[in-house]
Amino acid sequence: MLARGRIHSAERPASRAPPSHGAKRALAPQKDWAVNRRTVPVVEALRGVQADFARTSGGRQVSLADLVVLAGCVGVEQAARATGTETTVPFTPGRVDTTQDRTDVEMFEWLRPVADGFRNFVSPRYDDFAAGVAPEAVFLDRANLLTLTAPEWTVLTGGLRVLGANWDGSDTGVLTDRVGVLTTDFFVDLTDTALVWTKDDDAATPFTGRDQASGEARWTASRADLVFGSNAQLRAVADVDAGSDGQERFVRAFVAVWHKVMMLDRFDVRAGTAAPVRWRPERATVGLTVVD
């Protein structure tokens, strides 16, 4: 749950906005979007943590935006520890919160996602906005917006699936019996040659993985899941992650890409360091990082 709350809040690096207005997921309209409904109780729980800290810390404050990221980092560490792998997820504080009256609700509605493969979400109105475009192509576009390489995209998705980060809490693509544990099970079961995947309807949106010998249904998956087994480049990465020696390597790779995504909106922090740099909006240009 802690990890799920933060990955849903990653911002597009292309926006190049100063990191002044955090925790937008706690405000309208984003908090009311169906795709974000599982983050609502997470945010409310963290508001309680924030209030407790303010009451007992002798005047110190912590932003909700920082708390969301920190909670996600803790969640990833716990999920990794459950596999027997100790790891430390980097955390750089300094985010601050915006307010509802500084949020342009009308303009934010244009950012409502019609598909988000990281959360296995496809809107019922998908065809109204992206007719003829496969959901996995939109998934690729979102990964590109997050500046992910093919290995990073694969590792992040596989980790989120076993952590149970689907938007609706469903088991689609959750190819593991150990939900919440940061294992390589997604890749092991995705590449299992004992399974055959068949489409469940004419639209070829949901799929069922069945044992080839018995015909028993074992897993369900979406196009956003199976692309990592069908695309040659992504399949090569998945095969590596499915290896019997891949667990510790996978955890290290997941932590690295997790940290990368968490820092995408930190334009106040110099790349590769935790040293703050001044934000100069008059110097900002699309596609360039402002540095001194």
Side-chain angles (χ1 to χ4, degrees):
M1 178 179 289
L2 297 178
R4 181 177 67 242
R6 174 52 195 165
I7 196 64
H8 294 178
S9 303
E11 297 194 22
R12 294 184 177 188
S15 68
R16 297 298 177 194
S20 307
H21 312 303
K24 297 183 182 74
R25 199 55 51 96
L27 306 174
Q30 293 188 67
K31 70 179 181 63
D32 301 317
W33 295 345
V35 66
N36 294 332
R37 68 187 186 191
R38 293 187 75 198
T39 67
V40 173
V42 177
V43 169
E44 289 306 308
L46 292 178
R47 285 193 190 278
V49 173
Q50 183 185 34
D52 289 343
F53 181 83
R55 186 172 58 253
T56 61
S57 63
R60 290 180 298 167
Q61 301 288 326
V62 60
S63 69
L64 183 61
D66 264 348
L67 266 181
V68 169
V69 176
L70 180 59
C73 293
V74 172
V76 171
E77 290 180 357
Q78 292 176 341
R81 188 174 300 117
T83 70
T85 305
E86 291 292 333
T87 188
T88 299
V89 180
F91 170 72
T92 302
R95 301 163 185 84
V96 295
D97 298 333
T98 190
T99 58
Q100 187 65 66
D101 62 350
R102 298 183 67 184
T103 302
D104 190 330
V105 174
E106 182 180 359
M107 294 306 296
F108 257 99
E109 278 293 344
W110 290 101
L111 299 177
R112 183 193 293 259
V114 296
D116 181 356
F118 290 108
R119 293 182 275 175
N120 239 335
F121 170 75
V122 177
S123 169
R125 299 183 61 194
Y126 179 84
D127 288 337
D128 295 339
F129 293 93
V133 179
E136 60 270 28
V138 178
F139 192 11
L140 170 62
D141 180 63
R142 183 169 291 267
N144 181 59
L145 288 171
L146 294 176
T147 69
L148 301 181
T149 64
E152 289 173 337
W153 180 24
T154 304
V155 165
L156 182 59
T157 302
L160 292 175
R161 290 296 187 269
V162 297
L163 291 177
N166 283 352
W167 74 278
D168 57 352
S170 71
D171 60 2
T172 301
V174 183
L175 311 182
T176 182
D177 294 321
R178 299 177 287 175
V179 180
V181 181
L182 194 56
T183 66
T184 60
D185 288 356
F186 175 82
F187 305 108
V188 172
D189 291 314
L190 180 69
T191 59
D192 187 351
T193 56
L195 294 178
V196 58
W197 291 92
T198 57
K199 61 183 181 180
D200 292 345
D201 59 22
D202 292 336
T205 301
F207 294 81
T208 297
R210 300 180 183 276
D211 185 276
Q212 292 198 59
S214 67
E216 177 187 2
R218 292 180 54 187
W219 310 107
T220 59
S222 69
R223 300 178 68 95
D225 301 310
L226 297 188
V227 68
F228 293 97
S230 61
N231 176 272
Q233 184 177 359
L234 299 178
R235 174 58 181 257
V237 178
D239 281 333
V240 171
D241 291 324
S244 59
D245 60 345
Q247 178 60 48
E248 187 173 346
R249 181 176 60 246
F250 167 70
V251 169
R252 290 198 305 268
F254 184 86
V255 168
V257 69
W258 172 275
H259 179 60
K260 173 180 177 175
V261 173
M262 296 306 104
M263 297 298 289
L264 285 177
D265 58 352
R266 295 303 305 275
F267 303 113
D268 59 329
V269 176
R270 191 182 304 276
T273 75
V277 298
R278 286 172 291 179
W279 172 259
R280 299 178 182 174
E282 69 276 8
R283 292 178 54 195
T285 53
V286 174
L288 299 179
T289 302
V290 178
V291 295
D292 286 341

